[in-house]
Amino acid sequence: MTRAPAPPRKDLIKAFTAALSGTSLEWYDFAAYSVASALVFGQLFFPSHDPLSGTLLAFSTYAVGYLSRPLGGFVFGRLGDTLGRKQVLVITLLVTGIATVLIGLLPTHDQVGALGALLLVVLRFAQGVGIGGEWGGAVLLSSEYGSPERRGFWASAAQIGPPAGNLMANGVLAALAATLSREQFLSWGWRVAFLLSGVLVLFGLWIRVKLEETPVFQELQRSGTRAAAPLREVFTREPRALVAAILSRVGPDVLYALFTVFVLTYATQTLGLPDGLAVLGVMVGSTLQLGLIPLAGALSDRWGRRRLYAVGAIGAGLWPFVFFPAVGGGSVPMLVTGVVVGLFWHALMYGPQAAFVAEQFSPALRSTGASLAYTLAGVIGGALAPLLFTSLFAAFGTWVAPACYLAAACGLTLIGLALGRSPLPHDDGAHRTTTAPAQP
């Protein structure tokens, strides 16, 4: 089977922009919730005489957004392999955006009691479903327009979304916290960040609806080689690929939760730093990641994904044992530097990650496989990480327990890399010729 001709460069740039903008907007929504969980949701929706208990409950709803991701991965991943990558990405953007706007309109515990917390959990669940279906499609949207030889770089478009969204969310909430009194911020200021999502979603939809389907999926349609039952086929035909992809994601997810979510609670409640200063390190680190992630993706095209990925995992596993002693005195410069370095190790893993995960699966099963790996790893890693970090710190009263937890997560990532494969540039064509035709 011959490969489809390469698309015009302008289409490749449009695909890169669509993947980047869409994931940035969806991660803005997700990150706004994450920051609000650390700063205000415990007090507004889960009031308690113990601030730490309120934070634990707020982080429990944070986990719901991860636990619901597999549903989005199962549903939208399958649709990406049967209906196409583009259509799925329009739906997922709407689901996440609408849920986020509604969070900004929620009544608090003082207004409606426990109903406010219940509605918050439901909307957080919807956010997770949208994110669960977004990642796999966004990765394929950009990577399947580009050449396999540069897949590390092109696939990184979707990976830039989380730090970009996190930067926007932290920036908006930090600006609100700095310009408003604490009473104003708790009363209505935090809502602005969530309501702003409505405007951002319209922009993302405008870009995505104008884009054509990926050349790889168009070729699968023409050749009749789309999978008949992609969910079943991933588990029966490519189980090792699924396990490798899942484990490869655990370390980066846990590391990201430490340096973008738990660090806010640690800085404010343990070190006694103001809210605005606590998010400074996250903002600086996220800004640098905007360049580091695509650079790491490009380097993986030259040096090999698993090699670069492993360097990041080893550095990430060791860094907390340096970070926590360094910031114990409450130094803001040390905190900012520590978070920046932590997110540097994350970039070394996150840049090659999209291409590594996608390359584990054949083209006809790629949307389903990548989405399942992304969402199932989120349950193991990111969903429980803020809660476990907070619980471990509360139980042992020392940073050593959270640091050991991250080191163990990075160990799982190294196992996933060892199980994974390093495909050659021509694998797309080879896979396409061996994929069984869909049944009528």
Side-chain angles (χ1 to χ4, degrees):
M1 182 182 300
T2 59
R3 298 182 66 177
R9 186 170 181 82
K10 65 176 183 179
D11 290 342
L12 180 54
I13 295 174
K14 285 169 57 179
F16 188 92
T17 304
L20 170 59
S21 61
T23 52
S24 297
L25 298 180
E26 293 207 41
W27 274 94
Y28 168 87
D29 298 344
F30 213 69
Y33 188 101
S34 301
V35 178
S37 293
L39 300 181
V40 299
F41 279 174
Q43 183 174 344
L44 294 176
F45 293 95
F46 307 97
S48 170
H49 294 298
D50 178 11
L52 183 60
S53 298
T55 301
L56 283 170
L57 289 172
F59 280 163
S60 297
T61 63
Y62 171 89
V64 168
Y66 279 91
L67 295 174
S68 61
R69 286 186 186 186
L71 177 60
F74 273 83
V75 173
F76 294 115
R78 179 185 179 280
L79 292 177
D81 280 326
T82 55
L83 297 181
R85 321 318 194 194
K86 172 189 169 180
Q87 295 183 51
V88 166
L89 289 175
V90 171
I91 299 172
T92 57
L93 187 60
L94 282 172
V95 169
T96 309
I98 291 173
T100 304
V101 170
L102 292 178
I103 289 175
L105 300 173
L106 279 182
T108 64
H109 185 276
D110 288 343
Q111 296 169 314
V112 295
L115 178 61
L118 176 62
L119 293 174
L120 182 66
V121 171
V122 171
L123 293 174
R124 180 61 170 178
F125 185 92
Q127 272 191 328
V129 171
I131 290 287
E134 163 73 19
W135 188 83
V139 166
L140 302 190
L141 185 66
S142 56
S143 66
E144 290 186 347
Y145 262 93
S147 65
E149 293 85 354
R150 298 198 64 200
R151 180 174 288 133
F153 171 74
W154 293 114
S156 69
Q159 304 298 82
I160 305 172
N166 193 53
L167 180 63
M168 289 191 292
N170 276 282
V172 170
L173 286 166
L176 291 169
T179 57
L180 302 176
S181 67
R182 180 66 177 174
E183 292 73 22
Q184 290 174 321
F185 184 70
L186 287 173
S187 175
W188 57 268
W190 64 272
R191 298 181 184 275
V192 174
F194 291 88
L195 297 176
L196 182 61
S197 176
V199 178
L200 300 177
V201 167
L202 292 176
F203 173 74
L205 288 174
W206 175 71
I207 294 178
R208 288 189 170 182
V209 296
K210 297 173 64 176
L211 193 67
E212 296 292 330
E213 188 54 81
T214 72
V216 170
F217 187 78
Q218 290 182 38
E219 179 64 17
L220 291 170
Q221 286 180 307
R222 284 192 294 267
S223 63
T225 54
R226 285 179 293 174
L231 280 172
R232 184 187 69 225
E233 292 182 41
V234 166
F235 285 104
T236 58
R237 292 173 49 193
E238 302 184 4
R240 176 169 176 162
L242 183 60
V243 172
I246 289 173
L247 294 181
S248 72
R249 282 189 42 81
V250 174
D253 273 8
V254 175
L255 174 69
Y256 198 69
L258 172 63
F259 284 107
T260 63
V261 182
F262 175 73
V263 72
L264 300 178
T265 301
Y266 183 79
T268 55
Q269 296 187 12
T270 301
L271 302 180
L273 296 175
D275 292 349
L277 291 177
V279 301
L280 179 62
V282 177
M283 293 179 64
V284 174
S286 296
T287 300
L288 294 176
Q289 279 200 315
L290 298 181
L292 287 173
I293 286 176
L295 175 61
L299 289 176
S300 76
D301 290 327
R302 288 176 169 266
W303 296 347
R305 307 209 206 290
R306 290 195 291 178
R307 182 181 300 136
L308 187 64
Y309 209 134
V311 170
I314 294 171
L318 296 175
W319 183 241
F321 296 94
V322 178
F323 170 75
F324 283 108
V327 302
S331 167
V332 173
M334 291 302 299
L335 176 69
V336 172
T337 302
V339 172
V340 168
V341 174
L343 293 180
F344 166 77
W345 296 121
H346 180 265
L348 291 189
M349 295 185 284
Y350 211 60
Q353 183 185 97
F356 176 82
V357 170
E359 287 170 342
Q360 302 308 304
F361 305 96
S362 57
L365 302 177
R366 196 173 277 162
S367 176
T368 302
S371 296
L372 288 178
Y374 176 78
T375 55
L376 293 176
V379 173
I380 300 171
L384 301 178
L387 185 61
L388 284 176
F389 280 131
T390 307
S391 299
L392 288 170
F393 184 77
F396 293 94
T398 174
W399 56 266
V400 176
C404 290
Y405 166 45
L406 176 57
C410 291
L412 291 178
T413 288
L414 291 173
I415 294 174
L417 295 175
L419 291 173
R421 60 192 296 273
S422 300
L424 298 173
H426 63 268
D427 274 355
D428 269 13
H431 279 157
R432 236 179 271 157
T433 60
T434 59
T435 302
Q439 299 298 317

